[in-house]
Amino acid sequence: MRLLFAWLLCICLTACGVVTEQSVYEGIRATQRAKSAGTGQDDKALPDYDQYKQEREKLKK
């Protein structure tokens, strides 16, 4: 039983490494697109992650 618990714990902890800044941003972007579907608000859509990252780096300088 302890071995099973330890194995599940290891699996869960390795899954935490999959959550990245990019995946969080893309999730927010997808949610925003889903909520605004059919409303014609494409001009307010978030840019893709690479463009967002470039703009952010530009502002840091």
Side-chain angles (χ1 to χ4, degrees), residues 40-58:
Q41 295 181 350
D42 293 336
D43 58 334
K44 294 183 180 179
L46 292 172
D48 66 347
Y49 182 76
D50 294 329
Q51 184 179 357
Y52 162 76
K53 191 173 179 182
Q54 288 174 353
E55 291 174 7
R56 195 168 159 203
E57 289 297 323
K58 204 182 303 181

Side-chain angles (χ1 to χ4, degrees), residues 26-42 44-46:
E26 291 297 339
I28 292 170
R29 185 171 171 234
T31 303
Q32 184 188 37
R33 274 188 299 184
K35 285 182 180 178
S36 67
T39 62
Q41 295 181 350
D42 293 336
K44 294 183 180 179
L46 292 172

